[in-house]
Amino acid sequence: MDRRRGRGGARVRIVGLEQLRDRLAELEPELVEASKRAVETSAEAVRDETRQNVRVKTGNLRDKVAIHYSSDHLKASVGWKDRSDWYAAAQELGTKSIPAQPALGPAAEAERARFEARLRAEVERILQ
C-alpha cells in the first residue's frame, strides 16, 4: 500500500464560497455592533453584581465601581479608577487585619461563563 503524501487523496469542491465571503463582508458591521452589545451587557452585569456584593461602610465603593470601554467598545474594564478608592484592593484581596471579601473577582468570573452565550445570542440574531 502506497501511503506517500499527495497520492490518492480526495478532491473537494466548495460551491458558493465567494457568495459566502461577500455575505459575511456585508454582515461585518452588524456583527461588530452585536459584539459591542454583548461586551456592554456583560460589563454592566459585572458592575451590577459587584455593586450588589461589595462590602458597604460608606457606600463609596458600591457607588464608584465603573465601566471603562476601549475606543472601539470591544473591550471593557470594570472596577475603581479613582486613586482615593485604593482600599478597594484591600477589600478584594484582604490584608493582615482585613479578611478578603471579594466582589469584583467573583462577578467577573461568573460573567466569564455567561459571555459566550451572550455573544452567541447576539450573533445568531444577526444571522437569522
Side-chain angles (χ1 to χ4, degrees):
M1 177 180 258
D2 189 3
R3 293 191 176 247
R4 288 179 280 176
R5 290 185 181 171
R7 300 214 177 193
R11 294 182 122 195
V12 176
R13 181 169 178 240
I14 299 174
V15 178
L17 188 57
E18 285 302 315
Q19 291 87 351
L20 176 60
R21 284 187 184 137
D22 293 344
R23 182 66 180 131
L24 287 174
E26 289 173 14
L27 289 174
E28 184 179 3
E30 291 178 65
L31 292 170
V32 169
E33 289 303 314
S35 299
K36 288 178 184 180
R37 282 192 301 274
V39 167
E40 290 171 359
T41 302
S42 286
E44 290 166 2
V46 171
R47 180 200 58 207
D48 295 347
E49 190 172 331
T50 300
R51 283 182 176 166
Q52 215 171 21
N53 296 318
V54 72
R55 186 181 294 171
V56 176
K57 184 173 182 181
T58 65
N60 185 57
L61 293 183
R62 179 195 58 222
D63 297 340
K64 284 193 171 179
V65 66
I67 304 169
H68 303 276
Y69 294 101
S70 63
S71 59
D72 61 5
H73 270 239
L74 291 173
K75 291 183 197 174
S77 173
V78 181
W80 298 273
K81 297 290 184 182
D82 192 335
R83 285 188 160 184
S84 64
D85 299 330
W86 59 269
Y87 61 96
Q91 298 296 325
E92 282 287 310
L93 305 172
T95 66
K96 284 183 183 179
S97 58
I98 300 171
Q101 188 173 344
L104 180 59
E109 283 303 313
E111 186 55 33
R112 182 188 313 263
R114 296 185 294 248
F115 179 71
E116 184 180 339
R118 286 185 199 280
L119 183 57
R120 183 180 296 120
E122 288 288 346
V123 169
E124 284 175 355
R125 207 173 318 189
I126 301 299
L127 296 179
Q128 288 179 346

